[in-house]
């Protein structure tokens, strides 16, 4: 029996489901990890996250002096993520959640006391300052630099891009180069950044979805205090990989979301026998994604670490999510040209939004091509290139 199917797990699922039904805010349904539309929605999301912390559904693994229970229960964490997805609520694998994860793993006691209570209370929202124009999935190629001054402070110069929710964030989780370019990941350091610091220029990016969920962030002689370093100097690669592992895990465990999408597509497909067969084929693949996530989860609980588990789950989920979104648009025929706001748009333009956003999942946390390389090289032991070809 899976740890997700014990009597205690089933009882907790019912408890979470009842809490969501009673307390969840009305948030517009949008595909993926999206930024608030305005300040009112930003406040709503902060209050909702704080409510989940107060109820004990988030932060159970935090130390008791920081408001946690001092012990984590990954079974409950995954059940919560599944139920939020099933209820069409924003996923919790956002940048604030990842920043809290990094602070718990690598932060000093002072850093934890300074930021974790604010995250719990909803007064602090974070963004991740990783990707750059010439360093997306290959973070070892990043060019943003941090130079240490004689007084221990750091001066940061460079550019980040595709920074989710940066427009609404109070703090940023930054990685910058602290050594020679050719040393790649060996001389990268992680920093905590006040997004209102002088020298930071933030420019929201208008996307094909019509929203601005990402931003470019420019650093022009931004001064960071000595205690802004997260972890050790030049050890930012380890901090980064641990954080991205949590992000990929969250993306790859979205079977509940795929099931909801499939149920809605089944209604859209109607009784046409050809489409019903296609729905059946999709249903089988959704269950494969679910079993991959459950099996990986049970292995983690047993202390079994397989290098391919997270990339396989992430790859399977992101590619199937894209295919389901494409199918939802294709089912509409000529009406697929109508989007949200257009009279007669199917499901309010829901599937067009899903389709336009879906490729994000094939890039977020590592592009599909990178995931395939990780699986081939690290799990299967295949050579990086064919010799003598």
């Amino acid at each position: 029996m899976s740890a997700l199917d014990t009597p205690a797990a089933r009882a907790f699922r019912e408890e979470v489901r009842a809490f969501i039904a009673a307390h969840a805010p009305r948030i517009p349904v949008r595909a993926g990890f999206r930024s608030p539309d305005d300040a009112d929605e930003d406040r709503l999301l902060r209050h909702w996250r704080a409510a989940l912390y107060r109820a004990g559904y988030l932060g159970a693994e935090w130390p008791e002096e920081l408001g946690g229970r001092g012990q984590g229960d990954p079974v409950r964490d995954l059940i919560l993520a599944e139920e939020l997805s099933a209820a069409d609520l924003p996923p919790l694998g956002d940048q604030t959640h990842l920043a809290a994860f990094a602070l718990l793993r690598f932060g000093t006691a002072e850093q934890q006391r300074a930021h974790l209570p604010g995250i719990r209370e909803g007064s602090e929202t974070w963004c991740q300052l990783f990707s750059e124009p010439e360093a997306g999935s290959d973070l070892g190629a990043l060019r943003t630099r941090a130079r240490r001054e004689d007084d221990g402070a750091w001066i940061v110069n460079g550019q980040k891009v595709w920074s989710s929710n940066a427009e609404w964030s109070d703090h940023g989780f930054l990685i910058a180069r602290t050594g020679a370019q050719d040393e790649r990941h060996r001389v990268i350091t992680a920093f905590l950044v006040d997004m209102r610091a002088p020298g930071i220029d933030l420019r929201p990016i208008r996307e094909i979805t019509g929203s601005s969920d990402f931003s470019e962030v420019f650093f022009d002689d931004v001064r960071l205090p000595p205690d802004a370093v997260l972890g050790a100097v030049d050890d930012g690669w380890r901090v980064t990989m641990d954080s991205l592992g949590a992000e990929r895990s969250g993306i790859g465990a979205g079977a509940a979301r795929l099931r909801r999408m499939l149920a809605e597509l089944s209604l859209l497909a109607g009784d046409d026998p050809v489409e019903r067969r296609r729905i059946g084929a999709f249903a089988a693949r959704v269950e494969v994604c679910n079993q991959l996530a459950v099996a990986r989860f049970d292995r983690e609980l047993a202390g079994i670490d397989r290098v391919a588990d997270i990339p396989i789950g992430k790859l399977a989920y992101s590619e199937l999510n894209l295919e389901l979104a494409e199918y939802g648009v294709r089912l509409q025929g000529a009406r697929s040209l109508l989007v949200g706001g257009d009279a007669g748009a199917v499901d309010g333009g829901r599937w067009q939004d899903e389709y336009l956003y879906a490729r994000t999942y094939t890039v977020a946390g590592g592009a599909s091509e990178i995931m395939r390389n990780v699986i081939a090289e690290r799990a299967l032991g295949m050579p990086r290139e064919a010799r003598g070809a």
Side-chain angles (χ1 to χ4, degrees):
M1 175 187 294
S2 168
L4 293 167
D5 197 36
T6 64
R10 290 196 296 271
F12 180 72
R13 188 180 295 278
E14 291 302 319
E15 177 187 332
V16 168
R17 196 171 290 170
F19 181 86
I20 290 173
H23 300 287
R26 294 184 179 275
I27 299 173
V29 178
R30 294 189 291 270
F33 294 80
R34 306 296 278 271
S35 291
D37 271 350
D38 51 37
D40 287 340
E41 188 175 329
D42 178 52
R43 282 191 294 270
L44 194 65
L45 288 168
R46 290 174 187 249
H47 292 161
W48 172 233
R49 189 168 63 236
L52 290 169
Y53 276 113
R54 286 195 302 271
Y57 297 132
L58 288 178
E61 74 278 18
W62 292 18
E64 293 183 15
E65 64 270 20
L66 295 172
R69 298 195 192 99
Q71 59 181 13
D73 187 346
V75 174
R76 293 188 170 207
D77 291 345
L78 185 53
I79 288 172
L80 174 63
E82 290 179 343
E83 290 305 313
L84 289 171
S85 180
D88 252 343
L89 289 163
L92 289 176
D94 62 7
Q95 309 310 310
T96 301
H97 183 69
L98 294 177
F101 174 85
L103 282 163
L104 285 166
R105 290 291 301 274
F106 300 99
T108 64
E110 291 76 14
Q111 289 171 335
Q112 292 173 353
R113 285 193 295 268
H115 296 293
L116 292 178
I119 291 175
R120 285 184 58 86
E121 296 163 3
S123 61
E124 283 196 11
T125 294
W126 287 67
C127 62
Q128 200 176 62
L129 302 165
F130 284 14
S131 294
E132 299 183 7
E134 297 182 18
S137 295
D138 182 14
L139 290 177
L142 66 84
R143 296 180 179 275
T144 295
R145 289 189 167 275
R147 183 186 75 252
R148 182 149 48 183
E149 300 286 271
D150 292 339
D151 62 358
W154 296 84
I155 303 298
V156 180
N157 285 280
Q159 176 188 359
K160 297 293 180 176
V161 73
W162 310 123
S163 298
S164 304
N165 207 36
E167 183 179 6
W168 301 98
S169 293
D170 307 291
H171 298 276
F173 175 13
L174 167 73
I175 54 173
R177 182 162 301 285
T178 44
Q181 188 70 36
D182 59 4
E183 293 191 72
R184 292 179 58 78
H185 60 273
R186 290 184 293 276
V187 288
I188 288 174
T189 301
F191 296 92
L192 309 179
V193 178
D194 183 343
M195 293 301 291
R196 300 177 184 84
I200 292 180
D201 180 16
L202 192 149
R203 305 176 191 175
I205 300 171
R206 189 75 168 176
E207 297 143 41
I208 196 172
T209 57
S211 56
S212 296
D213 303 299
F214 308 101
S215 294
E216 293 179 286
V217 183
F218 295 85
F219 295 83
D220 184 8
D221 284 341
V222 175
R223 185 179 180 85
L224 304 180
D227 60 0
V229 173
L230 180 62
V233 174
D234 294 339
D235 195 33
W237 185 258
R238 183 164 63 98
V239 178
T240 302
M241 290 301 101
D242 271 21
S243 299
L244 288 180
E247 182 181 19
R248 291 166 186 161
S249 177
I251 292 171
R257 183 175 188 277
L258 294 178
R259 286 200 186 104
R260 176 176 52 74
M261 290 176 67
L262 189 64
E264 294 171 5
L265 285 171
S266 180
L267 295 174
L268 196 60
D271 296 325
D272 183 284
V274 174
E275 302 304 341
R276 301 308 295 178
R277 284 194 294 272
R278 288 175 177 156
I279 291 291
F282 279 131
R285 292 176 61 192
V286 168
E287 187 56 30
V288 167
C289 280
N290 179 61
Q291 291 303 317
L292 284 171
V294 170
R296 176 189 60 78
F297 184 74
D298 286 337
R299 279 193 292 271
E300 286 182 355
L301 288 181
I304 301 171
D305 183 19
R306 298 203 322 186
V307 69
D309 277 352
I310 288 177
I312 286 175
K314 191 269 181 185
L315 183 65
Y317 169 80
S318 61
E319 295 291 331
L320 180 54
N321 176 73
L322 175 59
E323 289 185 47
L324 288 174
E326 289 175 333
Y327 181 62
V329 173
R330 192 165 65 247
L331 279 173
Q332 299 173 37
R335 295 179 72 189
S336 66
L337 298 176
L338 301 175
V339 298
D342 291 341
V346 176
D347 292 341
R350 158 74 184 284
W351 296 104
Q352 285 77 0
D353 185 57
E354 290 279 358
Y355 171 70
L356 293 173
Y357 191 89
R359 288 196 183 276
T360 299
Y361 281 113
T362 69
V363 177
S368 292
E369 292 78 6
I370 298 296
M371 294 298 97
R372 291 186 177 96
N373 284 345
V374 170
I375 295 166
E377 295 171 11
R378 301 183 191 175
L380 302 178
M382 297 174 67
R384 288 183 63 86
E385 59 185 15
R387 302 295 180 182

